[in-house]
Amino acid sequence: MKFLFKPFPLFLPFLIFNLIIFFSGSAGAILPQKPVIVSSTTQIADFVRQVVGDQAVVKSILAPGADPHIYNVTPADVQIVLGADLCIENGLHLEGKNWMGSLAKDAQKPLITATDDIQALTISEGGQSIPDPHSWFSLRNVAVYINNITKAVIALDSEHQQQYQARAKLFLQQLRVLDAWIREQINTIPPQRRILVTTHDAFNYFCREYRLNEKNNFLSIAPVGWSTGAEVGAGITPERRRKVVDSIKTSGAPAIFVETTINPKQIREIAKETGVKIGGELYSDSMGPEGTAEETYIGMMRENTLLMVNALK
């Protein structure tokens, strides 16, 4: 039997190799580079991700559990911002000593403030009116965050405008569902037990939206002021601590709550002094770590609400 055999051309492997290199290089050359967006807080980072999907790289300066009021920037933060196409801050003095604004300015990067156009609640301290920066605890305010972020992202990358707008629309719909669900859950708490005591004044917007702390003008009850830093009206004072203890005793608060970003020592001492149980740990200035139920804004709000309801009912 005769087999027909044709010698394998010696140059063919080299040809194939060169073609692979050529097309790989060409593909890499034509792939557009994704814009890099750097946010100050974990909440804003999540809002941005809801809008951009995988069409941008989103980074957060703050890690889960970090306190924006007292955060000190690091050399690594400087490098992150140097690689940014856009920076986004919360504003309203949440970032103590304007650390995000300083990072963006030093790196000559564009900066937008996500709370622009929000009608902030004010806190009266020492004869001064201070805007409350924790405005993400109102879902109506979050809609403003999303609109501001969407506009900024489209200005950065207009080619994907339709996708950004579509994702923003979906997230806004999810927020409306979440808002209705939170109201339904809070309404299961007897009115006289809808008393929210936390470590610092982070939950004023939540109390106002969902009618908690009626006897305190729907404001949160907290031994620490609106900031954990050194700003006016911030920190714990003997007078503030005394008022909180008196409020707990007279209101009959069923439970008080610690916060994940603040040392729980003070609130635990108050709980012991007043004989009120600790209802659990709430997420306020920072969301949960990756892999937890609270790693997204919706997850954080859902789990916070369930914790409150369980402790206060």
Side-chain angles (χ1 to χ4, degrees):
M1 182 180 293
K2 185 181 287 186
F3 294 93
L4 295 176
F5 175 77
K6 294 183 179 180
F8 192 86
L10 293 177
F11 67 87
L12 193 55
F14 298 100
L15 177 62
I16 294 172
F17 176 77
N18 287 330
L19 287 172
I20 291 172
I21 295 298
F22 174 78
F23 284 112
S24 297
S26 299
I30 62 174
L31 285 176
Q33 188 173 357
K34 295 179 181 180
V36 177
I37 303 172
V38 177
S39 67
S40 59
T41 71
T42 55
Q43 284 91 345
I44 293 175
D46 186 56
F47 297 156
V48 177
R49 291 188 184 103
Q50 298 301 327
V51 174
V52 303
D54 290 330
Q55 289 174 312
V57 177
V58 182
K59 300 180 180 182
S60 173
I61 295 296
L62 289 187
D67 185 340
H69 300 291
I70 58 174
Y71 185 72
N72 292 313
V73 299
T74 68
D77 299 330
V78 175
Q79 291 303 312
I80 290 173
V81 173
L82 284 172
D85 296 296
L86 175 67
C87 297
I88 305 178
E89 67 173 357
N90 183 86
L92 299 176
H93 305 290
L94 178 73
E95 295 87 356
K97 299 181 180 178
N98 193 34
W99 55 260
M100 189 64 185
S102 297
L103 277 172
K105 182 180 179 181
D106 291 345
Q108 297 183 330
K109 298 296 180 177
L111 173 73
I112 72 155
T113 301
T115 55
D116 280 351
D117 300 323
I118 283 177
Q119 298 298 314
L121 295 177
T122 57
I123 303 169
S124 296
E125 293 285 355
Q128 297 188 39
S129 292
I130 302 160
D132 187 340
H134 306 89
S135 48
W136 61 87
F137 277 115
S138 162
L139 275 72
R140 285 182 289 186
N141 286 343
V142 175
V144 179
Y145 278 77
I146 295 300
N147 288 333
N148 287 334
I149 289 168
T150 303
K151 290 176 184 177
V153 170
I154 289 172
L156 177 68
D157 177 24
S158 59
E159 182 180 349
H160 298 105
Q161 175 177 346
Q162 184 177 358
Q163 292 98 314
Y164 296 146
Q165 289 175 331
R167 291 193 194 95
K169 182 178 180 181
L170 174 60
F171 189 59
L172 292 174
Q173 291 173 348
Q174 293 171 334
L175 291 178
R176 285 191 285 271
V177 173
L178 176 63
D179 180 65
W181 178 85
I182 293 175
R183 294 180 190 281
E184 179 182 82
Q185 292 296 314
I186 295 297
N187 284 340
T188 66
I189 304 171
Q192 70 275 14
R193 296 174 69 88
R194 294 177 196 170
I195 303 164
L196 185 62
V197 182
T198 60
T199 308
H200 89 299
D201 269 334
F203 289 87
N204 290 322
Y205 292 92
F206 191 90
C207 290
R208 183 64 57 89
E209 286 287 350
Y210 303 111
R211 317 312 285 172
L212 296 161
N213 295 346
E214 182 177 3
K215 292 181 180 179
N216 198 46
N217 197 28
F218 300 108
L219 296 173
S220 63
I221 301 170
V224 180
W226 67 274
S227 169
T228 55
E231 294 90 348
V232 174
I236 189 169
T237 64
E239 182 183 2
R240 178 183 286 276
R241 190 185 189 282
R242 179 184 57 78
K243 286 182 177 179
V244 168
V245 169
D246 290 345
S247 293
I248 293 171
K249 289 179 177 178
T250 58
S251 67
I256 59 180
F257 300 88
V258 298
E259 297 176 42
T260 60
T261 56
I262 304 175
N263 189 320
K265 180 182 177 181
Q266 293 168 341
I267 203 76
R268 292 189 185 280
E269 289 175 352
I270 290 173
K272 185 177 181 181
E273 181 177 342
T274 58
V276 177
K277 69 178 181 179
I278 296 290
E281 197 173 45
L282 296 173
Y283 289 83
S284 56
D285 289 348
S286 176
M287 300 191 310
E290 184 177 355
T292 66
E294 299 87 359
E295 70 173 318
T296 66
Y297 175 77
I298 287 179
M300 178 192 78
M301 295 294 285
R302 180 189 67 230
E303 298 305 313
N304 272 358
T305 300
L306 290 174
L307 187 70
M308 292 177 194
V309 171
N310 182 63
L312 298 180
K313 283 180 71 174

